[in-house]
Amino acid sequence: MTATVATRNSPSAPGAIERAIYRIHSLRARAERRTASFWGLIPFLVFIVLFLGVPVCGIVLSAFRVADVNEPGNYVPSLANFAASFRGASWDAMQNSLQISVIAALVGGIVGLALAQAILTTRSRKLTAVVTVLTSVLANSGGVPLAFSFIAAVGNAGIITGLLSLTDLGFTLYSSGGLILMYQYFLIPTMVMVVLPTLAGLRVEWKEAAASVGATSWQFWKKIALPITTPAILSGFVLLFGASFATHASAAALIGGGGVPLISLRIDSGLAGGNLAGQENVAMALGVNMIVVALIVLLIYMPLQKRSLKWFK
């Protein structure tokens, strides 16, 4: 009996040998797949290094360069550019950009969330499909055409401005409020695109189970639906904030270099010269500040997005 048990537990038993061979083949196949995936990523990594890594390194190095007063034409490493970016007009532009981005993200997030829920309430697959396509297009709209459209519609001489007498009400498109309004054109579709799959993933069984124990619709949303969807809602807000903060072309076409101080316009003015001639490296420091804000947004967004998906696997 003891010999039989020993034989069964022995590594030389036929079953153990087959399992070992199968495991070796599985590990080898997995290693081959990883190697193939790595070689397939090389063109993408080269692209990232050339068109993202090299420019970022150039921006960072330039941000730490300050002209040497003792030797004209030479530069020395210094934090003076960053110190200048946190005072005066540069700091005002940073604060204004952050404020506008937060307000625009809040408005777009609330309206987008309500719109997404309203679309799902119709229970129309065709409407959901059409909205999915439209949001993916509108979320990537912007630039000069978007600014021109708003100028033609709600500018000082716009069609809607004349019909509703918006000028008499004190509204002007060329202000912080005008920027926030224009940003909604792509922020609301972005929020719908982010939260629509999460809201659609709320299972009917969960609501039925809550109703079976006497829970009202409000209690279902408060106790079940809202805790599940909160990570997706927060990730949508963070994404909207990042999109607002980084917008340049639309804002530049709408308000130009004056009117509303924005960090993106401040960087543009610094690199273009003019009134800010000689401030190119300060503009680079502002660019580094924007990169830091973008990295913070990314670090917040990724875990929230990952957490929002765990309920719908």
Side-chain angles (χ1 to χ4, degrees):
M1 181 67 178
T2 303
T4 303
V5 172
T7 302
R8 289 178 180 175
N9 294 332
S10 174
S12 61
I17 294 175
E18 291 176 357
R19 288 194 297 271
I21 294 174
Y22 175 77
R23 186 174 182 181
I24 291 173
H25 283 299
S26 299
L27 293 175
R28 183 179 299 173
R30 188 180 303 174
E32 291 176 353
R33 287 195 298 269
R34 289 179 178 176
T35 303
S37 300
F38 173 77
W39 287 109
L41 283 174
I42 287 182
F44 175 73
L45 294 176
V46 171
F47 176 84
I48 291 295
V49 170
L50 291 178
F51 295 97
L52 183 62
V54 173
V56 168
C57 290
I59 292 173
V60 173
L61 292 176
S62 298
F64 286 97
R65 296 177 64 194
V66 176
D68 191 351
V69 294
N70 298 322
E71 298 183 15
N74 293 333
Y75 294 87
V76 295
S78 175
L79 294 175
N81 294 324
F82 288 96
S85 69
F86 286 101
R87 64 172 180 260
S90 297
W91 180 237
D92 292 339
M94 171 65 83
Q95 289 180 308
N96 202 48
S97 292
L98 292 173
Q99 182 180 359
I100 290 176
S101 299
V102 170
I103 297 174
L106 282 173
V107 174
I110 294 173
V111 176
L113 180 62
L115 182 59
Q117 180 59 28
I119 292 168
L120 291 176
T121 304
T122 63
R123 301 184 182 275
S124 173
R125 294 184 178 180
K126 291 183 179 180
L127 178 60
T128 303
V130 170
V131 169
T132 302
V133 174
L134 286 177
T135 53
S136 63
V137 174
L138 296 177
N140 295 285
S141 301
V144 177
L146 176 61
F148 177 77
S149 299
F150 270 82
I151 292 172
V154 290
N156 290 341
I159 299 174
I160 299 178
T161 303
L163 292 175
L164 301 180
S165 301
L166 296 180
T167 305
D168 297 336
L169 299 176
F171 172 80
T172 175
L173 182 64
Y174 313 105
S175 62
S176 298
L179 284 175
I180 293 172
L181 175 63
M182 183 179 66
Y183 289 173
Q184 302 311 312
Y185 187 86
F186 56 84
L187 293 184
I188 293 175
T190 301
M191 188 64 179
V192 173
M193 185 173 58
V194 171
V195 301
L196 190 61
T198 301
L199 294 178
L202 293 174
R203 300 174 185 173
V204 179
E205 293 84 355
W206 297 344
K207 192 170 185 177
E208 293 176 348
S212 65
V213 294
T216 63
S217 179
W218 165 248
Q219 289 174 328
F220 166 75
W221 276 98
K222 181 180 178 182
K223 299 293 185 180
I224 300 175
L226 193 58
I228 293 175
T229 58
T230 294
I233 296 172
L234 292 178
S235 65
F237 169 78
V238 172
L239 188 62
L240 266 56
F241 170 83
S244 302
F245 187 76
T247 298
H248 167 67
S250 301
L254 182 65
I255 62 175
V260 181
L262 296 176
I263 185 172
S264 58
L265 301 183
R266 185 75 180 176
I267 294 173
D268 185 20
S269 300
L271 296 178
N275 296 331
L276 297 178
Q279 299 293 314
E280 292 82 2
N281 290 340
V282 176
M284 292 297 183
L286 289 172
V288 174
N289 295 341
M290 287 193 70
I291 292 173
V292 172
V293 173
L295 289 176
I296 294 174
V297 169
L298 185 63
L299 291 176
I300 297 175
Y301 172 78
M302 291 179 63
L304 286 173
Q305 186 69 7
K306 183 177 180 181
R307 185 175 179 181
S308 67
L309 295 175
K310 75 175 185 178
W311 289 95
F312 307 102
K313 292 182 178 180

